[in-house]
Amino acid sequence: MSGHPAVVMRLVASAYCVAEKAGSIVRKVLHSGELGIVEKTGANDLQTLADRLAQQSICASLSRRFPKITIIGEEELPAEEVKEDLIENGQSAEILQKTCPAEYSSLKEEELVVWVDPLDGTKEYTEASTYLRHQTGAQILHKGLDASQVQSTALWLLDNVTVLIGIAYGGQAIAGVINQPFYNYQLGAGATLGRTMWGMPGLGAFGFQLQEVPGDRRIVTTTRSHSNKLVTDCVDAMEPHEVIRVGGAGNKIIQLVEGKASAYVFASPGCKKWDTCAPEAILRTVGGKLTDMHGNAYCYNADVKHMNSAGVLATLRNHEYYISRVPQSVLQALRSD
Ligand code: AMP
Ligand code: MG
Ligand code: MG
């Protein structure tokens, strides 16, 4: 890298550190035990103190350094002064040293849109907290599980949680950062928790080892907490060898790029642009694809509708096969924008 890094590289370098800070906030709120849960549209659409603080931290930190960028965060928060200890000023030196793909090297701040999901998998985050509180409280037994089962269920749920920062230009997701705050939980006390993955088409993907599902096995990953008949009909139509139900859009893309699943199938509205922007950028970097159920791309311009109304279909390979299996009932119910 010579001279001054391109704006988009400086933005990704900041987003990397900002996502790490948000991940540490997510861990801290869980450990405090005071989640401050608020229902948004209903019991399956929650917001916690961690969602609020992480979003304040991400948006305030990025907008201070990049005042002309449009930043769209999931949570509707009252405009208030963000506490100084939530501000992250760091930039990843490693990212600053990378060479920006030529097509993005002269982008300006005002041309970029940042989509922020401060905590993806909030439902699983709150459930994990409930399990952990049962374990530390007088009542160890929870749904007939013993203490170690309660602990492992809680930790498994926490691994569904991610922080997502996606960067878009010209309607396309061109870079993404994903922090997984509880990664490495299996290593137990003393282990450093959390990891950060990032990717930019034309430059590369980092922070994970790309793997594919062995052979031709169709392993479908889908929602565990927002299912309905359309979702299950569509999953069945893929004729999967195996179905994995986990929380979080970010987490499901991680499964695709780490060889745990072959397709993420969600034939329902519910996912929003902040759920898919960062994951799509990373997936595209490694040759994958994310579309609606018709095979059409989503647009990430600042003025688009937030809801991904026509569902989400994401794959590392063989996208066309999965598109070809989508039932007529789904295509009729979920119209592309
Ligand atoms: P899931 O796979 O259920 O974890 O969903 C992935 C993302 O989409 C999460 O951020 C969810 O909150 C969001 N989502 C999916 N369906 C819904 C829904 N019906 N209501 C609210 N959010 C949803
Ligand atoms: Mg989300
Ligand atoms: Mg969220």
Side-chain angles (χ1 to χ4, degrees), residues 178-198:
I178 300 182
N179 179 274
Q180 196 176 20
F182 300 97
Y183 179 74
N184 260 348
Y185 72 84
Q186 297 92 336
L187 302 184
T192 306
L193 285 183
R195 66 167 163 175
T196 305
M197 311 157 72
W198 70 279

Side-chain angles (χ1 to χ4, degrees), residues 41 44-45 74 117 120-121 124 222-226 246-249 252 264 266 269-272 275:
T41 58
N44 278 337
D45 193 11
E74 171 173 7
D117 187 342
D120 181 48
E124 284 70 27
T222 191
T223 183
R224 65 178 281 280
S225 58
H226 298 104
V246 293
K252 286 192 261 295
Y264 168 15
F266 185 59
C271 265
K272 325 284 188 319
D275 290 304

Side-chain angles (χ1 to χ4, degrees), residues 40 46 51 74-75 117-122 274-275:
K40 296 197 283 185
L46 306 174
D51 300 66
E74 171 173 7
E75 312 304 337
D117 187 342
L119 198 170
D120 181 48
T122 301
W274 44 76
D275 290 304

Side-chain angles (χ1 to χ4, degrees), residues 53 56-57 60 64 78-87:
L53 291 179
Q56 283 187 325
S57 171
R64 269 201 201 179
E80 59 184 46
E81 197 66 22
V82 172
K83 292 209 182 75
E84 213 45 43
D85 64 350
L86 290 176
I87 300 295

Side-chain angles (χ1 to χ4, degrees), residues 5-22:
V7 169
V8 71
M9 297 312 297
R10 290 194 288 114
L11 176 59
V12 178
S14 287
Y16 185 97
C17 294
V18 165
E20 284 195 326
K21 166 86 171 184

